[in-house]
Amino acid sequence: MATITLIPLLGTLLLIYSLHKLWTFFYNAFLHPVAKFPGPPYVWTDWYQCYNDVYLSRNWTDVLKELHEKYGDVVRVGANELHFSRPSVYNEIYSPSRRWDKDATLYRVFNQDESSFGFPTYREAKARKDILAPLFSHRATCEMQGVVKNHLDRLCTALRKRHAAGQSSDMLFALRSFSLDCITTYCFAQDVHASEAEEFRHPIVEAMDAAVPAVRVLQYFEPLRKVVFGMPPWLGKLTDPNTGARVALQEMLLKQVKEYVQNPKSMHETSTPTIYHRLLDPELNRETGGVPSLKSLRDEALSLFFGGAESSGNVSMLGTWHILQTPAIETRLREELRQAWSDLATMPQLEDLEKLPYLTAIIKESLRISPSVPVPLPRVVPPQGTTLSGQQIPGGTVVGMSLRFVHESEEIFHDAKTFDPERWLQPDAAAASLEKWLVAFSKGPRNCIGQNLAMCELYMAFAALFRRFEVVLDGTRAEDLSWTEGFLPFFNPRHMRAFCRPVEA
Ligand code: HEM
């Protein structure tokens, strides 16, 4: 009896679902407000990006480049999404005066939706970033530079030990270990000793690396994402060995949050300030209705952790590779460093390194040539609509632009594929006008909160590598540096390897 009534019911449901889908396709293809924009066939199914990304395993930004060549400056890349190619549009979408929301379809993948990174709305993110900002100001970074220096010394000791044992080092994991140590101490006053791990393969460094490709898949399959994030830790560990380290990391951060919430006085036992000194201060949170919830504190910890643990390492690794390709660049950098840092035992202060023009140019060029966050950062146009690239864009449209369209633009950066620090050393006006096209930290109200810390790490890492060591590649070839897109780049597992021979004086 039950089977007899169930079959027509299921049939009816299937029919309703199919009709709904057909109507959606018809609407997207012909009636949707962005249907008038050019784009590839079947883009209105909303599976076009997923097909290229997951099924064909192509970098989405490479596909975007081809689409713009074929369809022009503004291309429909999803049922409700447009991508732009004119570099000037980057500074419009991510302008300080535009307070557009982030599109949750991408950002929910990270499961940090109540954090400065994950809050979709400008209002919530601004309130949170205002509380945290003084911790990440240039001044605060200068005051905390001792933390960064200590971790750098530890990294250098590890590199020296490996060299003494006749071993080269995995430079990507070495430099990421340094970033990881910096972020855990800077934000949480905790030390995970990543750069002391065997072969720089600290479980958290490996787990984070392994997590990057997953973003590629999970962003398209919401139910799968829910299953993955809803799994009890023991099951997660069974399905993916790297989950163990991720879970341990989350537990470490959550334990600290809980301890501070239960006993706020214990916060003052740390030797350096943590994010919780501000996040749990009722006075600072008065306008937001009180201190953040436990979930929000956990999300914030994860967002700062993931934001800070990899990117600087990626940039310094790639910059080092490029410096080593051109002896004239390396020699000039070494000369500048030797002059500014004559006594090898005493590293200059950050403020002195920042005054070195060639080192600064090297860092800017490394940021330009690195993928940073390569994917377009999706924003939602407010209901009243807007004008971009000379076209009227309807309210509610998701718009975005990959920074590759700026950093690789020949109009702006002559011979853009070449690593050329010289381009940042032109007379003042020309250099200043180039500066606005350096968008590695993005722009506008949702730009990177950690950029001063990142710059501090970069100044110190480049200075130490090229003043304290002679760096010689161990068989690494250009193709070993290839990467694919998650949200962050995922590098070819061969990684860059180098011998770091300590210099005497
Ligand atoms: C060279 C190193 C770094 C690069 C290239 C970089 C790049 C970026 C970019 C492009 C964004 C915008 C993302 C978006 O719109 O979705 C961003 C946001 C963010 N970054 Fe960084 N970042 C770096 C280092 C750091 C560090 C050290 C921290 C930690 C203190 C950090 C924390 C964050 C956070 C929390 C956000 C979200 C801001 C918001 O949505 O309003 N980043 N970063």
Side-chain angles (χ1 to χ4, degrees):
M1 180 70 178
T3 344
I4 297 168
T5 47
L6 204 59
I7 289 171
L9 180 69
L10 285 177
T12 313
L13 286 176
L14 193 65
L15 183 69
I16 293 172
Y17 176 78
S18 308
L19 286 173
H20 171 72
K21 266 284 167 220
L22 277 175
W23 164 247
T24 309
F25 284 159
F26 179 80
Y27 175 82
N28 284 347
F30 302 106
L31 307 174
H32 196 285
V34 299
K36 63 179 181 193
F37 291 95
Y42 308 114
V43 70
W44 39 264
T45 58
D46 235 351
W47 286 101
Y48 184 78
Q49 184 178 348
C50 174
Y51 172 71
N52 279 280
D53 216 353
V54 181
Y55 184 71
L56 299 180
S57 282
R58 297 197 63 202
N59 275 344
W60 179 230
T61 53
D62 292 334
V63 177
L64 287 173
K65 289 208 160 198
E66 287 170 15
L67 292 179
H68 281 292
E69 269 166 32
K70 191 163 178 190
Y71 297 105
D73 290 340
V74 188
V75 177
R76 185 185 192 191
V77 293
N80 182 36
E81 186 168 350
L82 299 175
H83 189 272
F84 299 78
S85 66
R86 259 192 232 164
S88 60
V89 179
Y90 192 97
N91 285 320
E92 289 180 47
I93 297 178
Y94 308 101
S95 147
S97 62
R98 290 212 154 116
R99 297 165 173 191
W100 298 349
D101 292 347
K102 285 184 167 183
D103 177 43
T105 318
L106 170 64
Y107 290 99
R108 68 183 172 208
V109 177
F110 303 96
N111 209 23
Q112 303 160 9
D113 46 321
E114 290 182 33
S115 67
S116 48
F117 172 74
F119 280 127
T121 67
Y122 162 83
R123 188 182 51 77
E124 292 166 297
K126 163 127 178 44
R128 176 60 55 82
K129 286 175 95 175
D130 282 352
I131 292 174
L132 290 170
L135 263 183
F136 296 103
S137 66
H138 183 255
R139 190 170 152 191
T141 310
C142 288
E143 281 166 9
M144 290 278 280
Q145 62 180 292
V147 163
V148 180
K149 251 186 207 170
N150 285 343
H151 288 309
L152 185 69
D153 288 345
R154 205 195 264 173
L155 170 72
C156 292
T157 305
L159 293 172
R160 275 189 209 107
K161 271 192 196 159
R162 292 191 62 80
H163 189 268
Q167 293 164 328
S168 61
S169 298
D170 176 331
M171 297 306 283
L172 178 67
F173 275 9
L175 290 160
R176 277 192 189 168
S177 301
F178 166 57
S179 302
L180 174 62
D181 280 336
C182 289
I183 198 73
T184 48
T185 317
Y186 196 101
C187 291
F188 314 109
Q190 301 219 39
D191 193 350
V192 295
H193 297 269
S195 62
E196 287 168 356
E198 187 69 23
E199 290 268 354
F200 299 109
R201 293 196 163 267
H202 189 282
I204 298 178
V205 172
E206 291 206 300
M208 289 189 59
D209 193 56
V212 174
V215 171
R216 201 169 179 146
V217 177
L218 294 182
Q219 67 174 307
Y220 304 109
F221 302 101
E222 177 61 1
L224 180 63
R225 185 187 75 83
K226 285 191 170 147
V227 170
V228 169
F229 284 112
M231 257 186 219
W234 62 268
L235 186 59
K237 283 181 203 167
L238 276 183
T239 51
D240 170 11
N242 283 303
T243 306
R246 275 207 299 281
V247 170
L249 162 75
Q250 295 197 14
E251 280 169 357
M252 177 186 97
L253 296 175
L254 198 59
K255 184 168 165 263
Q256 185 183 35
V257 173
K258 282 183 179 160
E259 199 176 303
Y260 289 167
V261 170
Q262 281 159 12
N263 177 16
K265 281 195 188 130
S266 64
M267 266 193 305
H268 304 293
E269 287 161 16
T270 59
S271 53
T272 48
T274 66
I275 53 168
Y276 307 111
H277 285 74
R278 298 191 65 81
L279 289 174
L280 291 174
D281 183 337
E283 199 48 38
L284 294 175
N285 287 278
R286 212 149 37 131
E287 281 180 20
T288 53
V291 297
S293 66
L294 204 60
K295 173 182 167 16
S296 185
L297 291 167
R298 183 212 79 123
D299 285 4
E300 194 57 65
L302 287 177
S303 107
L304 290 165
F305 184 89
F306 282 101
E310 286 196 344
S311 295
S312 326
N314 296 346
V315 174
S316 46
M317 182 278 291
L318 278 172
T320 302
W321 159 266
H322 283 286
I323 295 166
L324 294 176
Q325 299 312 299
T326 315
I329 294 180
E330 187 181 349
T331 307
R332 190 162 164 196
L333 175 62
R334 284 185 183 283
E335 273 166 15
E336 187 183 69
L337 287 170
R338 208 170 289 125
Q339 285 200 4
W341 182 355
S342 51
D343 171 13
L344 202 50
T346 320
M347 187 178 194
Q349 288 289 95
L350 172 64
E351 296 85 328
D352 296 322
L353 292 176
E354 286 172 339
K355 288 184 195 131
L356 301 181
Y358 202 63
L359 175 60
T360 304
I362 290 266
I363 292 174
K364 287 182 185 164
E365 189 64 349
S366 302
L367 284 164
R368 184 191 72 82
I369 214 132
S370 305
S372 170
V373 180
V375 297
L377 307 169
R379 302 290 185 259
V380 184
V381 172
Q384 66 273 24
T386 191
T387 306
L388 287 173
S389 209
Q391 306 233 32
Q392 189 55 36
I393 313 295
T397 307
V398 175
V399 293
M401 205 171 148
S402 159
L403 51 59
R404 291 188 65 192
F405 286 80
V406 182
H407 286 179
E408 294 172 18
S409 162
E410 283 293 330
E411 280 165 43
I412 299 166
F413 298 104
H414 172 69
D415 202 3
K417 285 202 167 66
T418 303
F419 183 83
D420 178 14
E422 203 65 41
R423 66 174 94 244
W424 301 99
L425 295 170
Q426 300 168 61
D428 280 357
S433 69
L434 207 56
E435 201 82 35
K436 78 170 191 196
W437 301 111
L438 187 60
V439 295
F441 295 109
S442 189
K443 295 271 172 174
R446 302 307 297 268
N447 71 352
C448 178
I449 196 173
Q451 51 190 295
N452 289 313
L453 172 59
M455 289 301 277
C456 172
E457 290 175 28
L458 293 173
Y459 270 105
M460 294 203 176
F462 279 116
L465 274 183
F466 288 93
R467 180 64 185 97
R468 289 181 173 162
F469 298 97
E470 191 185 311
V471 187
V472 178
L473 290 173
D474 179 14
T476 304
R477 296 159 306 167
E479 51 272 34
D480 299 332
L481 299 183
S482 60
W483 49 271
T484 50
E485 281 161 12
F487 181 70
L488 296 173
F490 176 72
F491 286 91
N492 182 330
R494 273 185 57 84
H495 294 181
M496 170 185 164
R497 294 196 71 89
F499 292 100
C500 297
R501 189 177 75 80
V503 300
E504 299 300 324

